[in-house]
Amino acid sequence: MIIDHLDAPVPGSSLHPTLTGEAYTSAEVFEREQQEIFEKMWNCVLRADSIPSPGQWKTVTVGREEIIVVRTRKAGIKAYHNVCRHRGMRVCTSGDGKNKTLQCGYHAWTYALEGELVAAPNLTSMPDVDREQYGLKSVAVREWLGYVWVCLSDADQGEQPPSFEETVLGEVRTSFGAVESIDNYGIENLRCGESKTYDVAANWKLIIENFMECYHCATIHPELTEVIPEFADGLASQRANGEVHGASFGEQIRGFTVDGSDGVTEFPSIAPDQERKYYAITVKPQVFINTAPDQVIIHRMFPVSESRTIVVCDWLFLPEVVERVDAGELDVSKSVELFHRVNLQDFEACEQTQPSMSSRAYRSGGALVPSEHHIGEFHSWWTQRVEAGSAD
Amino acid sequence: MIIDHLDAPVPGSSLHPTLTGEAYTSAEVFEREQQEIFEKMWNCVLRADSIPSPGQWKTVTVGREEIIVVRTRKAGIKAYHNVCRHRGMRVCTSGDGKNKTLQCGYHAWTYALEGELVAAPNLTSMPDVDREQYGLKSVAVREWLGYVWVCLSDADQGEQPPSFEETVLGEVRTSFGAVESIDNYGIENLRCGESKTYDVAANWKLIIENFMECYHCATIHPELTEVIPEFADGLASQRANGEVHGASFGEQIRGFTVDGSDGVTEFPSIAPDQERKYYAITVKPQVFINTAPDQVIIHRMFPVSESRTIVVCDWLFLPEVVERVDAGELDVSKSVELFHRVNLQDFEACEQTQPSMSSRAYRSGGALVPSEHHIGEFHSWWTQRVEAGSAD
Amino acid sequence: MIIDHLDAPVPGSSLHPTLTGEAYTSAEVFEREQQEIFEKMWNCVLRADSIPSPGQWKTVTVGREEIIVVRTRKAGIKAYHNVCRHRGMRVCTSGDGKNKTLQCGYHAWTYALEGELVAAPNLTSMPDVDREQYGLKSVAVREWLGYVWVCLSDADQGEQPPSFEETVLGEVRTSFGAVESIDNYGIENLRCGESKTYDVAANWKLIIENFMECYHCATIHPELTEVIPEFADGLASQRANGEVHGASFGEQIRGFTVDGSDGVTEFPSIAPDQERKYYAITVKPQVFINTAPDQVIIHRMFPVSESRTIVVCDWLFLPEVVERVDAGELDVSKSVELFHRVNLQDFEACEQTQPSMSSRAYRSGGALVPSEHHIGEFHSWWTQRVEAGSAD
């Protein structure tokens, strides 16, 4: 929804090319994306405070893999492939739980929260079985902004996780001017007041492209353009002359709500130029961060197929706000409703675009107008990653 | 259901070969059929009077493409790919409507009914954008028999639509003796009294083959063979000694109805030899025309996959007949019921045939008896079209 | 569920490799299995007494083919591809029936129960049509243990059915010591008291592997290990020192029932060492035979895709037992319930294993502990059959 590279140089022609339709419809391309992008980059998978105490775990899908994310007693949060090393059964067969160990329900192979094999029937008669070697296969974990991020880069294939600082933090730096600017929001200490899951019948790249431009705002987002009038001209940008300025609320607007009425308690540490401002950041390949003075909205995408993507959207508020909501003393539904409507409007547009991607009339792709030219940078990035994969 | 080439030369053996089972089960063959047959030939898509006034449009599927058919103010009926030239969204997102222009709901790119780009946000700041070049991609249109026919032959690939006169009218000439004979029915002025859609779990070629022979009539069509007794011997033909004669009603039969009772008002201009007669014409690749003295039945096929075909069947009557039906003064249900039962009986047979097409026991195909030998001409035609495609 | 090769030599390492995950997830591998295993070996398809009188037939699926099994008047039970030789329609369009001839419902081609073409419309005018040559395509049939076994080995491709004695009886001999031992149960004269069909979302090989080992019994089969305590140590075997001994009931157990209470009338001819014993036999590729003193349980597997298998389980009792059940004088539900629970427990484990087969973490497969090493012999057999196919 935000144009974060508008000040990039714009070549002569008004219209730039897009990716071709096949990029959005080929099952083979999608498999390569899973391998080269989602299974090699950092993925934001769940809120760390959703597994608050040792032994609590959740399962999540990253690329084509199911991963267990568990809070250990001594080693913080760890993540493993949800595959028993014996005969392969899912070790965790539901979405979440709390256990002292992770035990497979088939033959009772049992793993410590920290991953190593600690028990199995007749294991003592198999002295040559190395308990580390036959531990659950682990994947890299980071915590940032209160979320758990995992990276599946394949140690067996000699791969290393990419630098979190250069990839994830680098994207924030580009969009937000400095990583420190986001620190003002104290996102790691916020609490999730609402979470919605959207099952979108569209390729994940259509969803990213949609988030990257505001040329569509006037057409499909009446509530959002009421709150942020500059979005109505389709040329809105958070940046100008190399400086980040965010997008300003309209003069009559009192808060980031569906009707412009008052929001909730503002974040205490934000800078003056972050008050009455909305910022948006795309963290490739699957995260969108949107900030307002009193709420932070985080989207995580989970691609399922070339034409289907699960999007989970969290609305984060100050802990005391969520506590008052839980106590029935406060209502944040107008705050949540604004971006929920934006989501529904955007995903509807993506779903109406997906079927055309296989048309002969989109064989050579479409066109980007000047205020969308920066999407071409996303396309270049994508092409490079996917082609690198095909050279394997 | 009709043997239109019975007088073709029959070689020595009683049994001729069919296509092999793979022709009906291979997804790859089906894609080639879409490309070489349905997306290159003329398709009958809808009744022209279903979009009576300027600005009215409907979307239809032709081959693998979604097409908008719209009545313009000055240029008659036109047809376009339903793909916005900007980012590809479906321009029309429902099945039908009426609008002064065709506007994409994503970024408001707006097209005249005649196709050219007439408006878009910030378009004036993009002076190099040619409004014709960025107009909707059009496809060829013809009107005949009161129907809109479209052809998707790909101008970008240097293709031209095949001659309507040689292909569509040529088939009618072969089956009906002269195109003029069909003019007696005044089909372009009839009105649709009933329309039914059948979702058939069978390859489209099984449906054509079924329509081309009457060897099955005695087994599965008790009502039809009651009305047209000559169909019961399995050798029925509309032609003999090179002359078209049609199939005669039984002596006790009063009309083309499910029980042989009176039909409705006859067409005023039909010739004496069309009066107690039934004629059937196959217009490859997707139309069947059946005529009786008081009704014309038109089937249009829309192949969905190698094992699924949508068939739409219209029952056409004189306008005054449909007006009386609409006014509740007349009942045509016995007229409609006859061919509706024939359809159900035929499609059931096709659906029970489809699963065997993948059997090892049908690996080399089946057999055509003498009264089916003309189906071999359809198979030759098909082989030529599909092989031409594979040589691309 | 039974370890029939425990006394096979165990090489040095405690853990042996399994097949790789791809063997359980590749659609291409599955097609090859259908061709090389299920369509070339003997398949147990139905109980012969379910088609007791001449003209009675049932349709069954073997590999990717639908087969008619019919009791003839003079030639015992015969089996045919359910494909009309004319245009291919299913000759039998329901699951069972009783007819004097087998007539196709499309054009009335009619076949004797013994297979030859005996009538067709206008057949007399086609004197060159050989009624044997255009008879239904037959497949090999054997009866054993009261079941009909068919083999689809393709005579058109010069294939012969493998020796029933060497393959089917050979497997029983290996597991049971001597084929004669199974004769004591008189299985061919038993009656089916209950039959259940399970639709299992798992590859057929996971189901076989599960049946071949009891390392999982302690974890998932509380009722079974109560009845047969030796299964709880995960090392249970029917064989020791080269002799078959079966698995013994617990001391307090009175019958092979879900709660160890009394079973029903024992088989009169079983040997003393078969009296409080349970035996299990795997007959590759799709049959499991389990015997108790008063019931025989037969599983037949019908693979549908690489991740789905239909399993039909019959519980056989003495005829007088089933007669008393039918008369409402006897209840066998506790006898049936024991293995029904075992089935549900096993299939749940298989279904929780199937999704992991596509994981990167199972790319090189899992591990077999010593009491599972004989599963490696099944893997060797499988590899040989499937690779033979790929060399075609």
Side-chain angles (χ1 to χ4, degrees):
Chain A
M1 184 125 354
I2 269 298
I3 303 137
D4 34 24
H5 298 98
L6 188 64
D7 51 358
V10 174
S13 160
S14 294
L15 300 185
H16 282 192
T18 64
L19 296 177
T20 63
E22 190 190 15
Y24 305 84
T25 59
S26 157
E28 190 190 327
V29 166
F30 181 74
E31 292 300 303
R32 215 180 297 155
E33 292 175 335
Q34 292 281 42
Q35 180 180 312
E36 297 303 320
I37 296 176
F38 295 96
E39 296 174 6
K40 286 189 178 166
M41 295 185 71
W42 287 99
N43 289 256
C44 178
V45 296
L46 52 77
R47 192 108 189 114
D49 66 10
S50 69
I51 46 170
S53 53
Q56 280 194 304
W57 53 264
K58 289 201 174 197
T59 58
V60 297
T61 299
V62 179
R64 297 160 296 188
E65 300 289 339
E66 187 167 291
I67 302 296
I68 306 167
V69 182
V70 62
R71 189 175 294 274
T72 68
R73 257 171 296 271
K74 305 170 195 165
I77 288 174
K78 300 267 278 174
Y80 310 104
H81 283 276
N82 189 8
V83 176
C84 181
R85 298 302 306 281
H86 171 224
R87 295 266 298 283
M89 194 168 98
R90 291 289 189 232
V91 174
C92 295
T93 58
S94 65
D96 53 38
K98 183 173 182 180
N99 298 92
K100 290 185 179 166
T101 56
L102 299 171
Q103 184 179 66
C104 178
Y106 197 172
H107 303 84
W109 278 38
T110 307
Y111 304 90
L113 300 179
E114 291 76 13
E116 74 271 18
L117 179 65
V118 291
N122 307 326
L123 183 61
T124 51
S125 68
M126 300 180 254
D128 60 333
V129 175
D130 182 310
R131 293 172 181 218
E132 289 292 338
Q133 185 193 339
Y134 280 91
L136 292 172
K137 287 204 177 181
S138 68
V139 299
V141 175
R142 282 290 296 260
E143 279 184 73
W144 190 58
L145 300 181
Y147 282 87
V148 178
W149 304 64
V150 303
C151 178
L152 270 55
S153 61
D154 194 342
D156 289 355
Q157 305 284 307
E159 295 167 13
Q160 292 299 320
S163 159
F164 194 86
E165 283 64 27
E166 283 173 26
T167 57
V168 177
L169 302 189
E171 298 236 41
V172 174
R173 200 172 287 119
T174 304
S175 303
F176 224 64
V179 173
E180 294 67 36
S181 304
I182 205 172
D183 290 345
N184 299 344
Y185 292 85
I187 300 178
E188 64 279 12
N189 296 319
L190 301 182
R191 274 189 55 194
C192 185
E194 178 72 84
S195 187
K196 291 183 188 286
T197 298
Y198 305 85
D199 193 338
V200 186
N203 186 277
W204 65 279
K205 296 189 293 298
L206 291 181
I207 299 173
I208 285 205
E209 290 156 11
N210 169 280
F211 263 86
M212 288 181 77
E213 52 92 0
C214 210
Y215 187 48
H216 68 272
C217 290
T219 314
I220 72 175
H221 296 317
E223 301 87 355
L224 183 65
T225 51
E226 188 73 23
V227 172
I228 304 178
E230 66 184 275
F231 281 175
D233 65 9
L235 293 165
S237 169
Q238 307 180 76
R239 308 185 72 183
N241 308 321
E243 283 185 39
V244 172
H245 69 72
S248 296
F249 292 2
E251 286 189 16
Q252 313 301 322
I253 296 301
R254 299 213 301 276
F256 197 70
T257 56
V258 71
D259 56 2
S261 60
D262 286 326
V264 294
T265 315
E266 292 200 357
F267 303 129
S269 316
I270 53 175
D273 64 352
Q274 293 174 329
E275 279 166 18
R276 300 186 61 75
K277 285 281 180 65
Y278 164 83
Y279 296 82
I281 307 164
T282 303
V283 182
K284 293 189 292 285
Q286 49 94 255
V287 181
F288 308 121
I289 304 171
N290 305 279
T291 66
D294 62 344
Q295 62 173 292
V296 171
I297 301 153
I298 310 263
H299 294 77
R300 288 163 284 144
M301 291 201 297
F302 300 91
V304 177
S305 76
E306 63 276 13
S307 58
R308 186 176 165 217
T309 308
I310 301 291
V311 184
V312 182
C313 182
D314 295 336
W315 282 260
L316 307 176
F317 300 95
L318 285 172
E320 56 264 35
V321 168
V322 179
E323 278 156 27
R324 289 178 57 207
V325 170
D326 291 348
E329 300 164 12
L330 186 64
D331 180 8
V332 291
S333 62
K334 285 189 173 179
S335 297
V336 169
E337 184 65 14
L338 176 54
F339 227 89
H340 175 51
R341 287 204 198 169
V342 169
N343 284 339
L344 292 177
Q345 292 153 352
D346 281 335
F347 300 152
E348 166 78 7
C350 293
E351 291 189 338
Q352 292 287 0
T353 301
Q354 180 67 29
S356 292
M357 295 297 101
S358 61
S359 171
R360 172 197 292 178
Y362 205 78
R363 189 164 40 200
S364 313
L368 299 173
V369 301
S371 62
E372 298 171 319
H373 283 181
H374 60 290
I375 294 178
E377 296 172 28
F378 167 64
H379 292 163
S380 301
W381 171 85
W382 179 86
T383 302
Q384 204 170 20
R385 297 245 14 149
V386 168
E387 280 181 357
S390 71
D392 281 359
Chain B
M1 186 125 354
I2 270 296
I3 304 137
D4 35 24
H5 297 98
L6 187 65
D7 51 358
V10 175
S13 158
S14 295
L15 300 183
H16 283 192
T18 66
L19 295 177
T20 62
E22 190 190 15
Y24 304 85
T25 58
S26 157
E28 189 191 327
V29 166
F30 181 73
E31 291 300 302
R32 215 181 296 154
E33 291 175 335
Q34 292 281 42
Q35 179 178 312
E36 298 303 319
I37 295 176
F38 295 96
E39 296 173 6
K40 286 191 178 164
M41 296 184 71
W42 287 99
N43 289 256
C44 179
V45 296
L46 53 76
R47 191 107 188 117
D49 66 9
S50 70
I51 46 171
S53 54
Q56 281 195 303
W57 53 264
K58 290 202 172 193
T59 57
V60 297
T61 299
V62 179
R64 296 159 297 188
E65 300 290 339
E66 187 167 291
I67 303 296
I68 307 166
V69 183
V70 63
R71 188 176 294 275
T72 68
R73 259 172 294 272
K74 305 171 194 165
I77 288 174
K78 299 266 278 173
Y80 309 105
H81 283 275
N82 189 8
V83 176
C84 181
R85 297 303 305 282
H86 171 223
R87 297 264 299 281
M89 194 168 97
R90 291 289 188 232
V91 175
C92 296
T93 57
S94 65
D96 52 38
K98 184 175 181 179
N99 298 91
K100 290 184 179 167
T101 56
L102 299 172
Q103 185 179 66
C104 179
Y106 197 171
H107 303 84
W109 279 37
T110 307
Y111 304 90
L113 300 179
E114 292 76 12
E116 74 271 18
L117 179 65
V118 291
N122 307 326
L123 183 60
T124 51
S125 68
M126 300 179 253
D128 60 332
V129 175
D130 183 310
R131 294 173 181 216
E132 289 292 338
Q133 187 193 338
Y134 281 91
L136 292 172
K137 288 206 176 179
S138 69
V139 299
V141 174
R142 281 290 296 261
E143 280 185 72
W144 190 58
L145 300 181
Y147 282 88
V148 179
W149 303 64
V150 303
C151 178
L152 270 56
S153 61
D154 194 342
D156 289 356
Q157 304 285 307
E159 296 167 11
Q160 292 299 319
S163 160
F164 194 87
E165 283 63 28
E166 283 173 25
T167 57
V168 177
L169 303 189
E171 298 235 41
V172 173
R173 200 172 288 118
T174 304
S175 303
F176 225 64
V179 173
E180 295 67 35
S181 304
I182 205 172
D183 291 344
N184 298 345
Y185 291 86
I187 300 177
E188 64 279 12
N189 296 319
L190 300 183
R191 276 189 54 197
C192 186
E194 177 72 84
S195 187
K196 290 181 187 289
T197 298
Y198 305 86
D199 193 337
V200 186
N203 186 277
W204 64 279
K205 297 189 294 300
L206 291 181
I207 298 173
I208 285 205
E209 290 156 8
N210 169 279
F211 263 86
M212 287 181 78
E213 52 92 359
C214 210
Y215 187 48
H216 68 272
C217 291
T219 314
I220 73 175
H221 296 317
E223 301 87 354
L224 183 66
T225 50
E226 186 74 23
V227 171
I228 304 179
E230 67 183 276
F231 280 175
D233 65 10
L235 294 165
S237 169
Q238 308 180 74
R239 308 185 73 184
N241 307 320
E243 282 184 40
V244 172
H245 68 71
S248 297
F249 292 3
E251 286 189 16
Q252 312 302 322
I253 296 301
R254 299 215 301 275
F256 196 71
T257 55
V258 71
D259 56 2
S261 60
D262 287 326
V264 294
T265 313
E266 292 200 357
F267 304 129
S269 315
I270 54 174
D273 64 351
Q274 293 174 328
E275 269 165 24
R276 294 175 55 77
K277 287 283 181 64
Y278 165 84
Y279 296 83
I281 306 164
T282 303
V283 182
K284 293 189 292 284
Q286 49 96 252
V287 182
F288 308 121
I289 304 171
N290 305 280
T291 67
D294 62 344
Q295 63 172 292
V296 170
I297 301 152
I298 311 264
H299 294 77
R300 287 164 284 143
M301 291 201 296
F302 300 91
V304 177
S305 76
E306 65 275 13
S307 58
R308 186 176 166 217
T309 308
I310 301 291
V311 184
V312 182
C313 182
D314 294 337
W315 282 260
L316 307 176
F317 301 94
L318 284 172
E320 56 264 34
V321 168
V322 178
E323 279 156 26
R324 290 178 57 206
V325 169
D326 290 348
E329 300 165 11
L330 187 64
D331 180 9
V332 292
S333 61
K334 285 190 172 175
S335 296
V336 169
E337 183 66 13
L338 176 55
F339 228 87
H340 175 52
R341 287 204 198 168
V342 169
N343 283 339
L344 293 178
Q345 292 153 351
D346 281 335
F347 300 152
E348 165 78 7
C350 293
E351 291 189 338
Q352 293 287 359
T353 302
Q354 181 67 28
S356 291
M357 295 297 100
S358 60
S359 172
R360 173 196 291 178
Y362 205 77
R363 190 163 40 199
S364 313
L368 300 173
V369 302
S371 61
E372 298 171 318
H373 282 182
H374 59 289
I375 294 178
E377 296 173 28
F378 167 65
H379 292 162
S380 300
W381 170 87
W382 178 87
T383 302
Q384 204 170 20
R385 294 238 29 141
V386 169
E387 282 182 357
S390 72
D392 280 359
Chain C
M1 185 129 351
I2 270 297
I3 303 136
D4 34 26
H5 298 97
L6 188 65
D7 50 358
V10 176
S13 159
S14 294
L15 300 184
H16 283 192
T18 65
L19 295 177
T20 63
E22 191 190 15
Y24 304 85
T25 59
S26 157
E28 190 190 328
V29 166
F30 181 73
E31 292 300 302
R32 214 179 298 155
E33 291 175 335
Q34 291 282 41
Q35 179 179 313
E36 297 302 320
I37 296 177
F38 295 96
E39 297 174 6
K40 286 190 178 166
M41 294 183 72
W42 287 99
N43 288 256
C44 179
V45 295
L46 53 77
R47 191 105 189 119
D49 66 10
S50 69
I51 46 171
S53 53
Q56 280 194 304
W57 53 265
K58 290 202 173 194
T59 58
V60 297
T61 299
V62 179
R64 296 160 297 187
E65 301 289 340
E66 187 167 292
I67 303 296
I68 307 166
V69 182
V70 62
R71 188 175 294 275
T72 68
R73 258 173 294 272
K74 305 170 194 165
I77 289 174
K78 300 266 278 173
Y80 310 104
H81 283 276
N82 188 9
V83 176
C84 181
R85 298 301 306 281
H86 171 223
R87 297 264 299 284
M89 193 168 99
R90 291 289 189 232
V91 174
C92 295
T93 58
S94 65
D96 52 38
K98 183 174 181 179
N99 298 91
K100 291 186 177 163
T101 56
L102 299 171
Q103 185 180 66
C104 178
Y106 197 172
H107 303 85
W109 279 36
T110 307
Y111 304 89
L113 300 179
E114 291 76 13
E116 73 271 18
L117 179 65
V118 290
N122 307 326
L123 183 60
T124 51
S125 68
M126 298 179 253
D128 60 331
V129 175
D130 182 311
R131 296 174 179 215
E132 289 292 338
Q133 187 193 338
Y134 282 90
L136 292 172
K137 286 205 178 180
S138 68
V139 298
V141 175
R142 282 290 295 260
E143 281 184 72
W144 190 59
L145 299 182
Y147 282 88
V148 179
W149 303 65
V150 303
C151 178
L152 270 55
S153 60
D154 194 342
D156 289 357
Q157 305 284 307
E159 296 167 12
Q160 293 299 320
S163 159
F164 194 87
E165 283 64 28
E166 284 173 24
T167 57
V168 177
L169 303 190
E171 297 236 41
V172 174
R173 201 172 286 120
T174 304
S175 304
F176 224 65
V179 174
E180 295 66 37
S181 305
I182 205 173
D183 290 344
N184 299 344
Y185 291 86
I187 299 177
E188 65 279 12
N189 296 319
L190 300 182
R191 275 188 55 195
C192 185
E194 178 72 84
S195 186
K196 291 181 186 289
T197 298
Y198 306 85
D199 193 339
V200 186
N203 186 277
W204 65 279
K205 297 190 291 300
L206 291 181
I207 299 173
I208 285 205
E209 290 156 10
N210 168 279
F211 263 86
M212 287 180 77
E213 51 93 359
C214 211
Y215 187 49
H216 68 272
C217 291
T219 315
I220 72 175
H221 297 315
E223 301 87 354
L224 183 66
T225 50
E226 187 74 23
V227 171
I228 304 178
E230 65 183 276
F231 281 175
D233 65 9
L235 294 164
S237 168
Q238 308 178 78
R239 307 185 74 182
N241 307 320
E243 279 184 42
V244 173
H245 67 72
S248 297
F249 293 1
E251 284 189 19
Q252 313 301 321
I253 296 301
R254 297 214 303 275
F256 196 71
T257 56
V258 71
D259 57 1
S261 61
D262 286 326
V264 294
T265 314
E266 292 200 358
F267 303 130
S269 315
I270 54 174
D273 64 352
Q274 293 174 328
E275 268 164 24
R276 292 176 56 79
K277 287 281 180 67
Y278 164 85
Y279 296 83
I281 307 164
T282 303
V283 182
K284 293 188 292 284
Q286 49 94 254
V287 181
F288 309 120
I289 303 171
N290 304 280
T291 66
D294 62 343
Q295 63 172 291
V296 171
I297 301 152
I298 311 264
H299 294 77
R300 286 163 286 144
M301 292 201 297
F302 300 91
V304 176
S305 76
E306 64 275 13
S307 58
R308 186 177 165 216
T309 309
I310 302 291
V311 184
V312 182
C313 181
D314 296 335
W315 283 259
L316 307 177
F317 301 94
L318 284 173
E320 58 264 34
V321 168
V322 178
E323 279 156 28
R324 289 178 58 206
V325 169
D326 291 348
E329 299 164 12
L330 187 64
D331 180 9
V332 291
S333 62
K334 286 190 171 176
S335 297
V336 169
E337 184 66 13
L338 176 54
F339 228 88
H340 174 53
R341 287 205 196 168
V342 169
N343 284 338
L344 293 177
Q345 292 152 352
D346 281 335
F347 300 152
E348 166 78 6
C350 293
E351 291 189 338
Q352 293 286 359
T353 302
Q354 181 66 29
S356 292
M357 295 297 100
S358 61
S359 171
R360 172 196 292 179
Y362 205 78
R363 190 162 40 199
S364 313
L368 299 174
V369 303
S371 61
E372 298 171 319
H373 282 181
H374 60 290
I375 294 178
E377 296 172 29
F378 167 63
H379 292 162
S380 301
W381 170 86
W382 178 86
T383 302
Q384 203 170 21
R385 296 249 10 154
V386 169
E387 281 182 356
S390 71
D392 281 358

